Amino acid sequence: MGRSFASRVSHPRLKWVVLVFWLLVAALAAPLAGRLTDEQVNDIAAWLPADAESTRALQLQTELGSDPDIIPAVVVYERDGGLTAADTAAIEEDVRLFGELAELDGTVVGPVPAEDGEAVQLIVPLNVGADGWERIAPVVDGIRAEASDGREGLAAYVTGPAGSAADSAEAFQGIDGTLLFAALGVVIVILLFTYRSPVLWVLPIFSAVIALVTSQAVIYLLARHADLTVNAQSASILTVLVVGAGTDYALLLIARYREELRLHTDRHEAMTEAVHRAGPAVLASGGTVALGMLCLVFAEMNSTAGLGPVAAIGVAVTLMVLMTLLPALLVICGRWVFWPVRPTFGSAEPTATGIWARVGARIRPRPRATWVVTSALLLVACAGVFLLSPSGLTQAESFRGTPESIQGEAVAADHFPAAAGNSVYVVTSAGSAAEVSDTVAATDGIAETGEPQVSGGQALVEAALADPFDSPAAYATIERLRTTLDDAGDGEALVGGNTALNLDVQEASQRDDLVVIPLIMLVVLVVLGLLLRALVAPVILIATVVLSYGAALGLSALVFEWTIGVTATDSSFPLFVFVFLVALGIDYNIFLMTRVREEAADHGTRRAALIGLAATGGVITSAGLVLAATFAVLGTLPLTFLTQLGIAVALGVLLDTVVVRSVLVTSLTLDVGRHMWWPSALAQRPDGPGAPAEGTAPVTSGSGAPARS
């Protein structure tokens, strides 16, 4: 980073301008950030693959007058031993009350008795409008209260699409505040442990909060005026990403600033040097993360594609805040902010004899054996991948715990046809309606078919599945139905409904894995090549990232089995884990290798590898702990996908920082030596004299910092 920029953000007078500027920005941004929830779009279309057959069927259903905002609530009543006459009378009264709901769209279907006489179900079609995500939970809560009011021995459950939607909405309720405070809490604890200072942690946390509020405001404005799609999932991930990544960048900058304070009497000069030296690595890291996130726009899944710009904006804003506000705050506060261990001019640099200097000395005599054994162990960990089943989560598996909708679904499955409230919808031309209806009725796995509803030149056929709507058997029925309908009528029939939607989501996610993952790898490879001005080093680093990713997935599968008992994952899980582990994990590659390259110009590559590890090992480990802890906070949520994502990213980051970056990459660099920088001129520079003897620290300058000419 240019020294002129570095000198401005730490200038004795301009530092106050920087502080006032960001305080004004935060004051203006806070009200807008608080309204981001109002712009979240959590309807079906915001999550689906845009061009999938089920999505097109949903659009045609709307044109036929079938309102996509109608969501059925299935009310199931059960009494062991059989329903009584009093039960029947009470249920009839519920039918009357539900028929008076303002949100009712149509008529209440039922009571439909079970053949065993122990259960009855109602289907209540609700329409809570386009903002149903916010309104569905209180409506369903009212139905639940009425259905279970005062009938001893008669169990009542509200399930079906409306019950599941209400439970999901309640799981996300207050999630942003919960995540923010939980993430800040764990980060504060780690920073207190890292810095051993009761004051210093305030500055990176304050900067991260400013970055979060500002990025939320920017995203709100773009969602409001530029059609940027934001949903509850992307908003939640934004909170974790900004706090985690922002604190990571702060750790790197503060570590370099503390090092420079030992070499300069004036703290403004020390900060200028720190920003000048660490700035390129921070910008390259943040830029890589932002570009990696933007690759998600090429995904077919709307929910995945929407996350890309949201996350990229968050990272970009975080970079601006951390590279301007944090340096200004640090020089405003002065050296006392490091109390009780203040770095004074000429004092010894502790990293020169710290734990990572000793680790490097252990690796130095046998680098090849070290990377071969480490790689073998990581490959063994990769074997756990075979336990994962990224074919999608069932409705029951989607929640940690058993909310009422899942209990009711199980009760309904014991007494009724399996897919009540989750019909299959087939849209066809009016001229093909009769033939298509007959074909649907004759398809294995279809329990019942209604009469075609014709409107204009289109027709809608509604059918019931014989199996649970989220079961493999139901998905097989949809595939059979689509195949047979290719030869029915004009061959243009479209199959929709929740089961078809879930199937299309799985297929789109598999396609996204094949397209987006290689694209992200290419972007990261190009950025590393430009930053390190080499080809060999980027290829080796990408290989270590992929190995780390596989090991993280394998270990995560074991943890899922031991903790939550669910090894199935959402179909987008592999891609999301890859994005966060590779885009964020590459930060640590950049932190380490830019320092190694900087030192290699003076000391040769092998010696520079030990200096780089000693200088950055501590900050990389601390940064990894911070990022792992913030993502682990997702594990506190009652949703399986976010819990699994938090566990996998946390495990992967810890593996990346403690093993891959510090041991595997260092040992590979020691083994390959100057050839890491091929074809740049640095590859021609001899490695120079041998590295320090085992057990000694890298050569340092008189101040104790690693030597630099």
Side-chain angles (χ1 to χ4, degrees):
M1 180 172 288
R3 194 176 294 274
S4 59
F5 171 83
S7 63
R8 286 189 178 94
V9 296
S10 57
H11 191 277
R13 289 187 296 276
L14 291 180
K15 63 187 179 185
W16 295 104
V17 176
V18 172
L19 175 60
V20 171
F21 169 78
W22 281 113
L23 290 176
L24 289 174
V25 168
L28 294 173
L32 300 177
R35 293 159 63 184
L36 179 59
T37 304
D38 299 336
E39 294 302 316
Q40 290 180 13
V41 181
N42 293 296
D43 58 16
I44 294 176
W47 297 76
L48 297 180
D51 297 325
E53 181 174 331
S54 56
T55 308
R56 289 182 284 134
L58 183 64
Q59 294 167 346
L60 289 175
Q61 284 176 241
T62 305
E63 295 173 10
L64 283 165
S66 175
D67 193 338
D69 291 329
I70 295 178
I71 180 168
V74 179
V75 188
V76 183
Y77 300 87
E78 180 190 43
R79 182 187 289 275
D80 291 337
L83 297 173
T84 66
D87 292 337
T88 302
I91 293 169
E92 290 287 356
E93 176 63 13
D94 282 350
V95 171
R96 185 187 69 78
L97 293 173
F98 296 156
E100 298 174 355
L101 288 171
E103 295 81 9
L104 184 72
D105 194 325
T107 59
V108 178
V109 178
V112 179
E115 292 183 0
D116 58 13
E118 294 187 343
V120 160
Q121 74 176 5
L122 312 174
I123 298 180
V124 185
L126 301 173
N127 191 333
V128 289
D131 58 345
W133 181 260
E134 288 77 25
R135 295 184 56 201
I136 189 64
V139 173
V140 169
D141 286 344
I143 294 175
R144 284 172 171 163
E146 180 59 41
S148 17
D149 183 27
R151 303 177 189 107
E152 186 175 351
L154 179 65
Y157 309 89
V158 178
T159 182
S164 298
D167 288 337
S168 294
E170 289 178 347
F172 275 106
Q173 191 172 17
I175 192 173
D176 292 339
T178 301
L179 280 178
L180 176 59
F181 290 116
L184 290 178
V186 297
V187 169
I188 289 170
V189 170
I190 293 172
L191 291 180
L192 282 169
F193 176 78
T194 300
Y195 291 130
R196 297 178 178 84
S197 167
V199 181
L200 183 57
W201 63 270
V202 174
L203 302 187
I205 290 295
F206 178 75
S207 301
V209 170
I210 295 292
L212 178 61
V213 170
T214 305
S215 60
Q216 287 175 331
V218 172
I219 291 167
Y220 164 78
L221 292 173
L222 292 175
R224 180 82 174 173
H225 302 293
D227 295 326
L228 177 65
T229 300
V230 186
N231 57 36
Q233 179 176 282
S234 58
S236 302
I237 291 174
L238 174 71
T239 300
V240 172
L241 180 63
V242 170
V243 173
T247 310
D248 267 11
Y249 302 147
L251 283 165
L252 181 68
L253 182 64
I254 291 172
R256 195 59 184 256
Y257 174 54
R258 183 162 53 181
E259 184 179 324
E260 297 298 336
L261 283 173
R262 304 178 191 278
L263 302 174
H264 298 83
T265 55
D266 186 280
R267 66 180 186 275
H268 301 89
E269 293 178 4
M271 180 56 75
T272 297
E273 188 68 17
V275 174
H276 173 63
R277 294 281 185 174
V282 174
L283 288 179
S285 299
T288 304
V289 174
L291 290 173
M293 296 299 175
L294 285 176
C295 290
L296 292 177
V297 301
F298 295 99
E300 283 190 354
M301 286 290 297
N302 283 344
S303 56
T304 304
L307 173 63
V310 170
I313 291 168
V315 172
V317 171
T318 301
L319 274 178
M320 288 190 288
V321 174
L322 267 294
M323 294 309 298
T324 54
L325 176 60
L326 182 59
L329 287 172
L330 286 166
V331 292
I332 285 172
C333 292
R335 296 175 189 259
W336 68 267
V337 78
F338 290 94
W339 183 88
V341 185
R342 291 190 297 173
T344 57
F345 176 68
S347 60
E349 172 57 46
T351 60
T353 55
I355 184 173
W356 292 109
R358 296 194 294 274
V359 169
R362 292 284 186 182
I363 296 172
R364 184 192 61 79
R366 295 172 294 277
R368 184 166 302 175
T370 301
W371 72 256
V372 168
V373 171
T374 304
S375 299
L377 292 173
L378 291 173
L379 284 171
V380 171
C382 290
V385 169
F386 295 107
L387 295 176
L388 282 179
S389 175
S391 56
L393 297 163
T394 66
Q395 195 72 30
E397 290 170 337
S398 297
F399 294 93
R400 291 175 56 208
T402 311
E404 183 175 317
S405 62
I406 303 304
Q407 298 174 41
E409 186 179 286
V411 171
D414 289 339
H415 301 283
F416 299 98
N422 284 287
S423 299
V424 176
Y425 296 96
V426 180
V427 182
T428 186
S429 63
S432 302
E435 184 178 351
V436 165
S437 179
D438 291 342
T439 302
V440 173
T443 302
D444 289 342
I446 297 295
E448 185 181 355
T449 305
E451 290 295 321
Q453 303 170 34
V454 180
S455 176
Q458 299 288 326
L460 179 68
V461 178
E462 183 176 354
L465 290 162
D467 302 289
F469 81 98
D470 55 357
S471 65
Y475 295 139
T477 298
I478 297 298
E479 291 174 335
R480 273 195 305 274
L481 189 57
R482 285 174 170 172
T483 300
T484 56
L485 287 176
D486 286 341
D487 300 321
D490 58 10
E492 298 297 324
L494 300 175
V495 179
N498 282 345
T499 305
L501 289 171
N502 290 344
L503 179 62
D504 288 341
V505 164
Q506 291 179 21
E507 293 177 349
S509 296
Q510 291 167 3
R511 175 264 178 198
D512 290 345
D513 290 347
L514 297 176
V515 172
V516 179
I517 286 178
L519 184 59
I520 292 174
M521 289 177 62
L522 179 62
V523 167
V524 171
L525 184 65
V526 170
V527 171
L528 285 174
L530 294 174
L531 181 67
L532 300 177
R533 286 162 282 178
L535 292 178
V536 174
V539 170
I540 289 176
L541 295 177
I542 286 290
T544 65
V545 163
V546 172
L547 183 58
S548 176
Y549 167 68
L553 284 184
L555 293 175
S556 296
L558 297 175
V559 174
F560 298 161
E561 178 69 29
W562 296 334
T563 56
I564 59 178
V566 178
T567 54
T569 66
D570 187 87
S571 48
S572 62
F573 174 78
L575 176 58
F576 273 55
V577 174
F578 184 86
V579 167
F580 289 113
L581 284 187
V582 174
L584 292 173
I586 207 66
D587 284 0
Y588 309 121
N589 270 318
I590 291 173
F591 293 171
L592 174 62
M593 294 307 290
T594 52
R595 184 58 180 265
V596 172
R597 195 181 199 287
E598 177 186 332
E599 301 292 347
D602 295 326
H603 306 294
T605 300
R606 289 189 170 90
R607 194 168 172 194
L610 300 180
I611 295 174
L613 176 61
T616 66
V619 68
I620 287 176
T621 304
S622 298
L625 286 172
V626 166
L627 196 61
T630 51
F631 269 90
V633 167
L634 290 173
T636 64
L637 303 178
L639 299 167
T640 302
F641 170 69
L642 290 178
T643 297
Q644 290 179 328
L645 180 64
I647 290 173
V649 174
L651 272 176
V653 168
L654 290 176
L655 194 66
D656 217 38
T657 53
V658 177
V659 178
V660 176
R661 256 2 94 232
S662 304
V663 178
L664 182 58
V665 172
T666 297
S667 58
L668 281 167
T669 306
L670 286 169
D671 193 16
V672 177
R674 60 188 174 87
H675 302 294
M676 290 286 282
W677 315 117
W678 185 87
S680 71
L682 193 57
Q684 308 305 317
R685 187 194 185 286
D687 274 334
E694 183 175 347
T696 64
V699 173
T700 60
S701 64
S703 66
R708 185 173 65 236
S709 298

